[in-house]
Amino acid sequence: AQRVTQPEKLLSVFKGAPVELKCNYSYSGSPELFWYVQYSRQRLQLLLRHISRESIKGFTADLNKGETSFHLKKPFAQEEDSAMYYCALSGLVNTDKLIFGTGTRLQVFP
Amino acid sequence: EAQVTQNPRYLITVTGKKLTVTCSQNMNHEYMSWYRQDPGLGLRQIYYSMNVEVTDKGDVPEGYKVSRKEKRNFPLILESPSPNQTSLYFCGSRGSSYEQYFGPGTRLTVT
């Protein structure tokens, strides 16, 4: 079955510290993987998709098919990065299913 | 402005009283979806639609209905709401890219 696992419910760091939000997936096909972010009182929005291989707001994520992971990283966290982060899996053939992980709340302290 | 809108934003109702949450997008997107967000469970897809008159079940469709009569609208219908459907609901849409655009959310409480 397709599944996305985010093992950490909460990640707390100080400003300037490196951040890694973990995401593992289970899917036998060719996945499309995304990171979505939800800032306080705002709607969910796309942060990254693996296929674009770009850096947004200093965040990067690399798809590791061998480890079935798509961890989100940032070398120096900022207070404005505090938000809820969701990893999501798509690309299931003949469907528009989008499977989210349970989310990780990132708190960045000053 | 390109956007997804939902109405109402907040709704308190009683068990068994039918309700509809509307969703509309102005981006001419083919794909639309409904999700519910619950603490500790993240977002779970309820239904999705790949075009007009084409809908299919997501992971948690029980107790919900949808329809897609027009491209821009994708209402979510709860024929007989129950307290376990108390949740935060999001509508999303996308075009040919995989990026989902989300609405602002509808907070539903069923007593």
Side-chain angles (χ1 to χ4, degrees):
Chain A
Q2 303 91 9
R3 178 178 289 176
V4 176
T5 303
Q6 292 180 251
E8 304 137 329
K9 287 188 177 179
L10 174 66
L11 184 62
S12 300
V13 301
F14 286 102
K15 176 182 172 182
V19 168
E20 182 178 52
L21 286 79
K22 291 185 168 46
C23 172
N24 288 89
Y25 67 91
S26 173
Y27 179 52
S28 56
S30 296
E32 288 273 350
L33 284 151
F34 307 84
W35 278 98
Y36 281 85
V37 61
Q38 189 175 29
Y39 300 102
S40 179
R41 299 185 183 280
Q42 293 188 27
R43 64 186 73 190
L44 213 66
Q45 57 187 283
L46 180 68
L47 179 64
L48 283 177
R49 60 182 292 204
H50 88 272
I51 205 165
S52 61
R53 300 185 64 81
E54 57 191 345
S55 173
I56 303 291
K57 299 184 179 183
F59 284 98
T60 59
D62 290 317
L63 177 61
N64 186 324
K65 290 188 177 181
E67 295 182 358
T68 59
S69 69
F70 188 55
H71 303 327
L72 183 68
K73 299 177 184 178
K74 184 169 183 177
F76 307 103
Q78 303 299 315
E79 289 179 68
E80 55 266 29
D81 296 329
S82 296
M84 195 75 181
Y85 290 81
Y86 291 97
C87 183
L89 168 71
S90 184
L92 283 65
V93 175
N94 295 327
T95 79
D96 198 38
K97 283 195 169 182
L98 184 59
I99 298 169
F100 284 87
T102 51
T104 297
R105 180 168 297 284
L106 175 64
Q107 287 183 331
V108 182
F109 295 110
Chain B
E1 180 191 355
Q3 60 181 345
V4 179
T5 56
Q6 295 178 226
N7 282 293
R9 295 288 311 281
Y10 302 91
L11 180 59
I12 301 174
T13 190
V14 296
T15 299
K17 186 176 180 182
K18 180 180 178 180
L19 66 92
T20 299
V21 184
T22 64
C23 173
S24 184
Q25 50 91 7
N26 62 0
M27 295 169 278
N28 201 36
H29 285 168
E30 290 83 12
Y31 304 91
M32 298 185 75
S33 288
W34 275 103
Y35 305 85
R36 59 178 289 174
Q37 184 181 35
D38 301 289
L41 297 176
L43 279 88
R44 293 176 292 168
Q45 195 173 33
I46 302 171
Y47 269 96
Y48 62 90
S49 170
M50 296 172 75
N51 214 324
V52 175
E53 303 290 6
V54 180
T55 63
D56 209 343
K57 296 177 180 179
D59 289 327
V60 287
E62 294 78 20
Y64 304 95
K65 282 176 57 176
V66 292
S67 69
R68 187 93 182 272
K69 293 184 170 50
E70 305 166 281
K71 199 171 186 179
R72 62 182 291 126
N73 297 322
F74 190 45
L76 179 70
I77 302 156
L78 284 73
E79 294 269 3
S80 183
S82 62
N84 65 11
Q85 292 179 297
T86 292
S87 187
L88 180 59
Y89 291 86
F90 288 98
C91 179
S93 75
R94 72 172 184 91
S96 54
S97 80
Y98 278 102
E99 179 175 358
Q100 285 272 339
Y101 292 83
F102 287 91
T106 294
R107 188 167 292 282
L108 171 66
T109 302
V110 183
T111 61

